[in-house]
Structures are given as structure tokens and as C-alpha cells.
Amino acid sequence: MLRKKEYFLNCKKGVFNKLRLQVIKLRYRRIALKLGFSIPENVFGPGLAIVHYGTIVVNRNAKIGNNCRIHACTNIGASGGGQKAPVIGDNVYIGPGAKIYGDITIANNIAIGANATVFKDFKEPGMMIAGNPAKEIKRIDISRIIKHIPEKS
């Protein structure tokens, strides 16, 4: 429903499609309340995988790349009343209970462990971060965690 809402918001114009968009927004809001999601449109790139339903809160200003795999009880947002939110790269795994906030950048091919608190930049790709506060744990191959990453041609 999120992708359908984005499609009608970004691609379809006209009076009839605006009416359809309002119906889709209403349906999306009902589903989001039922499942515990607060995900605004145009934040995630293609390939988003929500593993379980549960509380997922994402700030409207956050930007998350392609092929993100996200678990329940995750919060991605601004810090201290500011407007700037995280910029997260492609092929990122976000474990259950992770909190990612502030004006930070997270590189491609990173796995964020369960209950991690991330509030600083991680610009080196291909690593696992975890802990409170988050720190580098080890180097990883993200394709072993995220199975739906498309092959490079």
C-alpha cells in the first residue's frame, strides 16, 4: 500500500487520480495503525523488506537507499528537535529495536544489530555495527544477511 500511495502521489495526475490517492491514503493509514508503522512516502528506495509487523517509526526527512531490510521496534529520526535525519545507504540490514537518529550518514552494505543506538556516522561499507552506543563489530558480507540483493551485471 505504501508503494501504491507513492505511485499515485508521484506519477498520476488528474482529478480522478487525486480522488483515488485520497482513498489509498485512507487505506494506508488504517493498515499503518493496525500494524504499527509510521513510514512516510518517498523515504525508502526500491527493495524495502519489512520482516515483521510492529512499531516502525521513520522521520519524513530520512533517506534510505535500495534493498533495506528492517525489523520491528525500529526508530529512524531527527535528534534534539532538529530537522535533519539520517541518510542510510543501499543494502542495509536494520535489526529489531535499533534506534538511528540525528544528522548522520550510514554507508552501503552495513548491518545494524538488534537494539543498537546509532547517532554517529559510519562511512566505511561492509561492516556490522552494534551496541549502545553503536561501534564497529566486524567486517561482513551483506549478501549473506540480505538475500534479495540483485546481482551486479
Side-chain angles (χ1 to χ4, degrees), residues 1-43:
M1 195 54 64
L2 173 65
R3 295 305 184 187
K4 187 182 260 190
K5 179 179 159 187
E6 289 174 345
Y7 173 72
F8 275 89
L9 185 68
N10 298 330
C11 300
K12 293 293 190 174
K13 303 298 176 200
V15 176
F16 179 70
N17 288 321
K18 285 185 180 183
L19 182 61
R20 282 188 71 186
L21 176 61
Q22 294 306 314
V23 171
I24 290 167
K25 282 182 176 181
L26 181 63
R27 288 180 63 199
Y28 175 75
R29 190 173 304 128
R30 282 190 201 152
I31 291 170
L33 287 172
K34 181 178 180 181
L35 299 178
F37 297 153
S38 177
I39 302 174
E41 62 275 344
N42 299 323
V43 171

Side-chain angles (χ1 to χ4, degrees), residues 74-134:
T74 301
N75 187 343
I76 302 172
S79 175
Q83 295 298 315
K84 294 192 175 187
V87 175
I88 301 174
D90 297 339
N91 308 321
V92 174
Y93 171 87
I94 302 173
K99 310 298 182 256
I100 306 165
Y101 58 91
D103 183 14
I104 63 171
T105 301
I106 297 176
N108 297 336
N109 304 320
I110 286 189
I112 300 171
N115 295 316
T117 304
V118 184
F119 56 86
K120 65 180 183 175
D121 292 337
F122 287 93
K123 295 186 178 181
E124 186 179 337
M127 67 177 161
M128 174 177 276
I129 59 175
N132 184 4

